[in-house]
């Protein structure tokens, strides 16, 4: 008889005792179960004992646990070894919420805090105490704001000490990080007591754990600072070459970058880019003399050679008219450029980007502006309008001004490899935009389409996390407009499931049948026939000739026809060429009638339309030469002749027709499987049965 479902067998062990295998009735009160277990070991006071999981998180099953009192009592022992053993047990048990509540209710945090403040032992005992304290505080039962100022200052002293156990300082930094993030008042105390230079020292130590905790405290201090204080702190850090150290010794260190460090680098990147937000939110002030001068400097860098000034000897009205025209050439939508920069975002950040580009890449800036301002074919790319929209795009991709995520890790390594990384990224991106504009042969009406492609180019390249700006430049320039279209097509096919292995296998099975349909269509087209023009050795003639395939596919019939006449019936054509006599099909420059005309520019269009068939005539090789009236007719005839000769049909038209037929046939066959996920692999075939006695033997007649 099977035992009841609420009864399970478990093993119970106790220190210095033989383990028991008991049947635990889950419906029985826990106190009664504890009483039975204690009786088996002859233990009195069963209410003082608790069941604890031996594996995993070692959680307690009961709320009444007196081991906490026993361990806390051992912390008061004068023996260092006794305290160390008690702390080792506390560290293991502290993650359990029930046990943590018991410890906290018995003033366990105060007892641990006393050990930390006394600082009698700066080695393993202090490290275990800090770790236990942190584990208990992580449960959120007690607020970090309840910590005393002397306690926080003592922990700060451990961070600032030069000679300290390697296991203590990471824990002290972690504790200060939690204090800074949870309590603004205590965070200010930590900021005033822990100098940035000390955190830089910890970051430069080749200890990954210490580096990670120092970076965590640094980002916590930056997050708790005001915008002005944050800017001053970041300026100090960059002046002390923190960026270069992070790039060389943390990002490119031999040890792999941990998830926690990746998150803190993301936070540092976000906070640094956040310094651009005030400029991004500030529109241009038309009454600001400084901003007007910056706009004039932008115009002069493009249109006035160095040492020359506009309008020498001209009236004020004429000078203003020339300036307005040049601002329009620069790509501003209005003759008054200030109106374009009143939009926020990007506000003045777009002007900063344009000025940076003109000053740090003057040749590229002049080439961009002059090349597009002098065009008269409506394909000019407006520099100012592009720069304004591109700045908005970069702010969106880099999430400038957005609050930091608590879990994100997607920092960009090249951000730490370059000073002025945002402006440098703009310089690369604006040149990419001009390149993509040319590839798309865009006009002003296509501006939004170009920006969508540029967004995709930048987003795809940033997702690759290039390690340097030069590598970013190389990768993003390799991602041409044609490559973007190809990637879009591939992703669309993946979404439709067209590239799934079972679908690809189905397409391969359908190909022979569909190629047969295409072959049949090509031969029918040859049977219909086509009018071709005759080409003489001197010039193009107006004479026409007609060629077609006989209905039995054995003879090519051809002959001259008059201009404007309808195609003649096949039986009236005087010339015939048996298909069996054809040796080969020639195309392009291999054709004799094209080869004789040389390689002049006027004959290049004939190369793509010319084809010939070589055949035997009185034991000599002769040629029947064709010039197709169109590219489509060229593909149809070369495919049809290849099919007659038993050669593969390899034209572009065949590839397109086959793809179209495959797509349609596949969709038709999968109509009943719409919205049904198709597995990557077929389900396994079950093993055969042990016998086949269940099979019906038809040879045995029924009685």
């Amino acid at each position: 008889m099977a035992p009841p479902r609420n009864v399970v067998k478990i093993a119970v062990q106790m220190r210095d005792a033989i383990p028991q295998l008991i049947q635990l009735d889950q419906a029985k009160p826990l106190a009664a179960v504890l009483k039975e277990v204690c009786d088996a070991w002859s233990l009195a006071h069963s209410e003082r004992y608790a069941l604890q999981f031996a594996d995993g998180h070692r959680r307690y099953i009961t709320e009444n646990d007196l081991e906490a009192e026993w361990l806390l009592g051992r912390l008061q022992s004068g023996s260092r070894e006794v305290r160390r053993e008690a702390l080792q047990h506390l560290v293991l048990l502290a993650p359990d919420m029930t046990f943590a509540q018991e410890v906290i209710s018995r003033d366990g945090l105060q007892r641990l805090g006393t050990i930390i403040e006394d600082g009698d032992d700066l080695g393993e005992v202090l490290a275990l105490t800090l770790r236990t304290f942190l584990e208990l505080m992580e449960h959120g039962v007690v607020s970090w704001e309840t910590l005393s100022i002397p306690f926080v200052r003592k922990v700060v002293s451990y961070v600032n000490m030069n000679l300290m156990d390697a296991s203590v300082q990471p824990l002290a930094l972690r504790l200060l990080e939690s204090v800074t993030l949870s309590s603004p008042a205590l965070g200010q105390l930590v900021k005033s007591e822990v100098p940035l230079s000390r955190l830089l020292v910890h970051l430069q130590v080749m200890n990954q754990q210490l580096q990670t905790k120092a970076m965590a405290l640094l980002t916590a201090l930056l997050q708790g600072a005001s915008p002005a204080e944050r800017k001053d702190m970041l300026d100090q850090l960059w002046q002390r070459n923190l960026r270069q150290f992070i790039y060389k010794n943390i990002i490119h260190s031999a040890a792999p970058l941990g998830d926690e460090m990746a998150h803190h680098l993301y936070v540092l990147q976000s906070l640094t880019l956040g310094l651009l937000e005030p400029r991004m939110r500030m529109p241009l002030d038309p009454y600001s003399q400084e901003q007007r001068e910056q706009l004039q400097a932008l115009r002069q860098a493009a249109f006035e050679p160095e040492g020359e000034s506009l309008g020498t000897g001209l009236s004020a009205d004429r000078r203003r008219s020339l300036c307005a025209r040049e601002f329009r050439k620069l790509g501003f939508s209005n003759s008054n450029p200030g109106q374009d920069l009143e939009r926020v975002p990007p506000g003045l950040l777009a002007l900063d980007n344009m000025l940076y580009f003109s000053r740090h890449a003057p040749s590229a800036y002049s080439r961009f502006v002059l090349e597009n301002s002098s065009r008269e074919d409506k394909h000019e790319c407006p520099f100012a309008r592009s720069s304004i929209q591109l700045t908005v795009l970069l702010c969106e991709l880099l999430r400038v001004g957005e609050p930091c995520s608590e879990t994100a890790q997607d920092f960009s390594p090249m951000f730490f490899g370059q000073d002025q990384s945002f402006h440098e990224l703009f310089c690369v991106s604006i040149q990419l935009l001009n390149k993509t504009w040319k590839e798309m042969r865009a006009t002003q009406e296509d501006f939004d389409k170009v920006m969508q492609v540029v967004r995709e180019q930048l987003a795809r390249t940033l997702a690759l996390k290039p390690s340097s700006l030069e590598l970013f430049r190389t990768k993003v320039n390799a991602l041409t407009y044609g490559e973007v279209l190809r990637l879009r097509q591939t992703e669309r096919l993946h979404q439709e499931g067209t590239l799934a292995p079972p679908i690809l296998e189905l397409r391969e099975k359908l190909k022979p049948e569909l190629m047969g349909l295409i072959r049949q269509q090509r031969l029918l087209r040859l049977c219909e026939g086509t009018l071709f023009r005759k080409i003489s050795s001197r010039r193009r003639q107006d004479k026409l000739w007609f060629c077609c395939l006989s209905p039995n596919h054995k003879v090519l019939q051809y002959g001259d026809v008059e201009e404007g006449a309808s195609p003649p019936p096949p039986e009236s054509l005087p010339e015939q060429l048996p298909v069996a006599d054809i040796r080969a099909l020639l195309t392009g420059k291999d054709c004799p009638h094209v080869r004789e005309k040389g390689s002049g520019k006027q004959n290049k269009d004939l190369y793509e339309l010319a084809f010939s068939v070589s055949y035997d005539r009185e034991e000599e090789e002769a040629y029947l030469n064709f010039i197709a009236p169109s590219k489509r007719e060229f593909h149809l005839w070369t495919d049809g002749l290849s099919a007659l000769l038993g050669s593969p049909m390899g034209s572009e038209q065949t590839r397109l027709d086959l793809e179209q037929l495959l797509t349609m046939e596949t969709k038709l066959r999968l109509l009943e499987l719409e919205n049904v996920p198709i597995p990557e692999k077929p389900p396994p075939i079950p093993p055969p049965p042990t016998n086949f006695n269940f099979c019906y033997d038809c040879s045995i007649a029924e009685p």
Side-chain angles (χ1 to χ4, degrees):
M1 180 178 178
R5 298 182 62 183
N6 59 343
V7 175
V8 294
K9 288 187 177 182
I10 63 170
V12 183
Q13 62 183 10
M14 187 180 71
R15 194 182 310 152
D16 302 328
I18 300 174
Q20 300 181 45
L21 181 64
I22 66 170
Q23 288 191 343
L24 176 63
D25 186 353
Q26 299 178 62
K28 186 181 296 186
L30 188 57
V33 175
L34 286 171
K35 181 74 167 60
E36 293 176 2
V37 173
C38 290
D39 290 344
W41 277 321
S42 302
L43 298 174
H45 306 294
S46 61
E47 68 276 5
R48 296 184 181 180
Y49 293 89
L51 293 177
Q52 178 193 28
F53 288 105
D55 300 326
H57 295 289
R58 304 175 67 85
R59 292 182 295 106
Y60 279 91
I61 303 174
T62 179
E63 294 182 357
N64 298 321
D65 173 49
L66 297 182
E67 187 174 4
E69 183 65 39
W70 177 73
L71 289 174
L72 291 176
R74 291 172 67 85
L75 290 181
Q76 311 299 321
S77 172
S79 170
R80 179 180 179 277
E81 187 63 26
V82 171
R83 291 201 307 272
R84 186 181 66 81
E85 289 183 1
L87 287 167
Q88 287 176 338
H89 282 86
L90 282 170
V91 166
L92 294 175
L93 301 174
D96 179 59
M97 182 64 175
T98 303
F99 181 81
Q101 289 175 335
E102 292 294 331
V103 171
I104 293 171
S105 66
R106 289 169 170 78
D107 297 330
L109 286 173
Q110 288 79 354
R111 300 188 194 186
L112 294 170
T114 302
I115 297 175
I116 294 172
E117 287 190 55
D118 291 343
D120 295 333
D121 191 327
L122 301 181
E124 184 182 6
V125 170
L126 180 58
L128 290 170
T129 307
L130 287 169
R131 183 174 287 110
T132 305
F133 190 91
L134 284 165
E135 292 289 352
L136 294 173
M137 291 295 294
E138 289 297 331
H139 291 291
V141 178
V142 179
S143 171
W144 290 94
E145 295 182 350
T146 60
L147 300 183
S148 65
I149 292 178
F151 175 83
V152 175
R153 281 183 171 152
K154 188 63 178 181
V155 177
V156 167
S157 70
Y158 296 144
V159 171
N160 292 335
M161 282 185 184
N162 289 324
L163 298 177
M164 175 59 64
D165 189 277
S167 60
V168 171
Q169 288 187 325
L171 295 167
L173 288 165
R174 177 183 163 191
L175 193 152
L176 294 180
E177 177 205 1
S178 299
V179 168
T180 304
L181 292 174
S182 304
S183 172
L186 293 177
Q188 287 297 321
L189 174 63
V190 174
K191 179 186 172 186
S192 62
E193 296 283 341
V194 181
L196 292 178
S197 58
R198 189 63 196 167
L199 291 178
L200 289 175
V201 170
H202 291 314
L203 284 170
Q204 293 172 5
V205 174
M206 292 297 107
N207 180 331
Q208 195 171 32
Q209 186 183 16
L210 185 58
Q211 285 180 341
T212 302
K213 298 307 177 185
M215 184 64 72
L217 179 56
L218 177 61
T219 55
L221 291 172
L222 288 170
Q223 286 178 285
S226 65
E229 292 174 334
R230 186 181 302 149
K231 184 178 185 307
D232 292 341
M233 292 171 68
L234 287 171
D235 287 343
Q236 292 181 43
L237 294 170
W238 297 152
Q239 289 172 7
R240 294 172 179 266
N241 299 322
L242 175 63
R243 178 190 63 75
Q244 293 89 330
F245 180 83
I246 291 175
Y247 185 72
K248 293 179 181 178
N249 299 90
I250 295 180
I251 295 177
H252 289 101
S253 66
L257 196 68
D259 292 343
E260 187 178 357
M261 177 60 83
H263 170 69
H264 295 311
L265 291 178
Y266 153 78
V267 173
L268 182 60
Q269 172 183 306
S270 298
L271 294 175
T272 306
L273 290 173
L275 297 178
L276 302 171
E277 185 179 7
R279 299 289 289 179
M280 182 183 73
R281 304 289 183 192
M282 184 183 300
L284 184 134
D285 182 3
Y287 301 104
S288 170
Q289 179 65 25
E290 178 187 2
Q291 294 171 15
R292 288 201 300 270
E293 291 175 355
Q294 289 175 338
L295 284 170
Q296 290 299 329
L298 198 63
R299 179 190 62 79
Q300 292 168 359
F303 299 109
E304 293 185 17
E306 190 173 351
E308 299 183 16
S309 63
L310 173 69
T312 304
L314 298 177
S315 65
D317 291 341
R318 177 63 176 162
R319 199 158 46 242
R320 280 195 296 271
S321 175
L322 286 175
C323 284
R325 188 170 65 184
E326 289 182 348
F327 276 124
R328 295 296 292 267
K329 285 184 177 181
L330 200 56
F332 286 98
S333 302
N334 302 281
S335 56
N336 179 9
Q339 296 178 6
D340 293 56
L341 295 169
E342 289 177 355
R343 170 190 172 189
V344 290
L348 291 177
L349 186 57
L351 179 59
D352 295 341
N353 278 334
M354 289 187 281
L355 282 170
Y356 188 91
F357 182 47
S358 67
R359 291 169 180 171
H360 291 80
S363 58
Y365 170 69
S366 299
R367 184 167 59 252
F368 187 117
V369 175
L370 297 178
E371 176 185 294
N372 288 285
S373 62
S374 60
R375 299 185 68 166
E376 298 180 356
D377 56 359
K378 297 183 180 180
H379 288 284
E380 67 277 3
C381 178
F383 171 74
R385 182 185 176 191
S386 300
S387 298
I388 293 170
Q389 192 61 36
L390 183 61
T391 303
V392 175
L393 174 58
L394 289 175
C395 290
E396 292 175 356
L397 290 176
L398 298 174
R399 297 186 288 277
V400 175
E402 295 183 13
C404 297
S405 167
E406 295 183 0
T407 57
Q409 302 172 8
D410 54 339
F411 75 96
S412 177
M414 72 174 180
F415 172 84
F416 297 96
Q418 186 74 41
D419 288 325
Q420 302 293 337
S421 57
F422 185 83
H423 297 314
E424 290 288 344
L425 184 61
F426 171 84
C427 293
V428 175
S429 302
I430 192 67
Q431 296 176 75
L432 169 72
L433 190 151
N434 190 35
K435 172 175 169 288
T436 304
W437 187 282
K438 294 177 186 176
E439 292 172 351
M440 297 177 65
R441 294 192 55 79
T443 62
Q444 294 287 343
E445 289 76 15
D446 301 320
F447 185 83
D448 291 337
K449 294 180 182 178
V450 176
M451 293 307 302
Q452 289 175 2
V453 174
V454 171
R455 170 187 283 273
E456 190 167 346
Q457 290 171 316
L458 293 174
R460 288 181 182 275
T461 309
L462 286 171
L464 299 175
K465 295 189 176 182
S467 58
S468 66
L469 186 69
E470 285 305 314
L471 187 59
F472 174 84
R473 189 197 310 272
T474 302
K475 288 183 177 295
V476 80
N477 285 328
L479 193 61
T480 61
Y481 175 57
E483 182 66 12
V484 169
L485 293 180
R486 189 190 67 79
L487 290 171
R488 287 177 177 176
Q489 175 72 4
T490 303
E491 290 171 356
R492 183 182 65 80
L493 293 176
H494 274 293
Q495 290 175 355
E496 295 177 354
T498 310
L499 298 182
I503 305 300
L504 293 177
E505 185 177 346
L506 174 62
R507 287 166 62 94
E508 288 298 321
K509 290 183 178 180
L510 294 174
K511 274 185 181 180
E513 178 185 352
L514 298 179
M515 285 299 293
L517 288 176
I518 295 172
R519 180 181 184 278
Q520 183 180 354
Q521 187 270 339
R522 298 295 194 262
L523 294 177
L524 287 174
R525 184 68 185 87
L526 265 60
C527 291
E528 293 175 4
T530 303
L531 285 171
F532 297 95
R533 287 192 175 274
K534 282 190 173 182
I535 304 297
S536 69
S537 59
R538 294 182 179 179
R539 61 186 177 86
R540 185 185 298 270
Q541 300 292 329
D542 293 333
K543 291 184 178 180
L544 300 174
W545 65 289
F546 182 79
C547 183
C548 67
L549 181 67
S550 64
N552 62 3
H553 301 168
K554 291 186 177 181
V555 178
L556 285 176
Q557 299 170 299
Y558 59 96
D560 295 342
V561 296
E562 295 296 329
E563 178 75 24
S566 59
E571 58 271 11
S572 66
L573 296 172
E575 303 289 341
Q576 291 187 348
L577 173 60
V579 173
D581 292 344
I582 297 177
R583 287 185 181 181
L585 171 66
L586 308 175
T587 59
K589 295 182 179 181
D590 295 332
C591 299
H593 62 305
V594 175
R595 195 165 54 236
E596 293 169 359
K597 289 183 171 296
S599 57
K601 184 177 181 181
Q602 60 182 356
N603 297 318
K604 287 187 176 180
D605 58 338
L606 300 180
Y607 295 161
E608 297 181 352
L609 302 176
F611 63 97
S612 304
V613 290
S614 64
Y615 60 96
D616 295 327
R617 184 176 60 184
E618 298 178 357
E619 299 182 356
E620 292 183 0
E621 187 176 20
Y623 297 94
L624 182 61
N625 301 318
F626 301 78
I627 297 292
S630 66
K631 193 69 176 175
R632 176 176 173 78
E633 288 293 331
F634 171 82
H635 289 319
L636 294 177
W637 270 83
T638 53
D639 284 342
L641 293 171
S642 296
L644 287 173
L645 298 176
S647 301
M649 298 181 294
S651 71
E652 179 68 14
Q653 189 63 42
T654 296
R655 188 189 67 80
L656 294 175
D657 290 347
L658 178 62
E659 181 62 31
Q660 185 176 10
L661 289 172
L662 281 172
T663 302
M664 293 175 59
E665 186 67 21
T666 303
K667 288 183 177 180
L668 286 173
R669 298 207 178 193
L670 297 177
L671 275 177
E672 296 182 358
L673 294 178
E674 189 174 1
N675 298 325
V676 176
I678 299 175
E680 294 285 329
K681 297 179 181 180
I685 300 174
T690 55
N691 60 71
F692 294 88
N693 296 337
F694 56 86
C695 291
Y696 182 76
D697 190 352
C698 298
S699 62
I700 302 176
E702 294 184 1

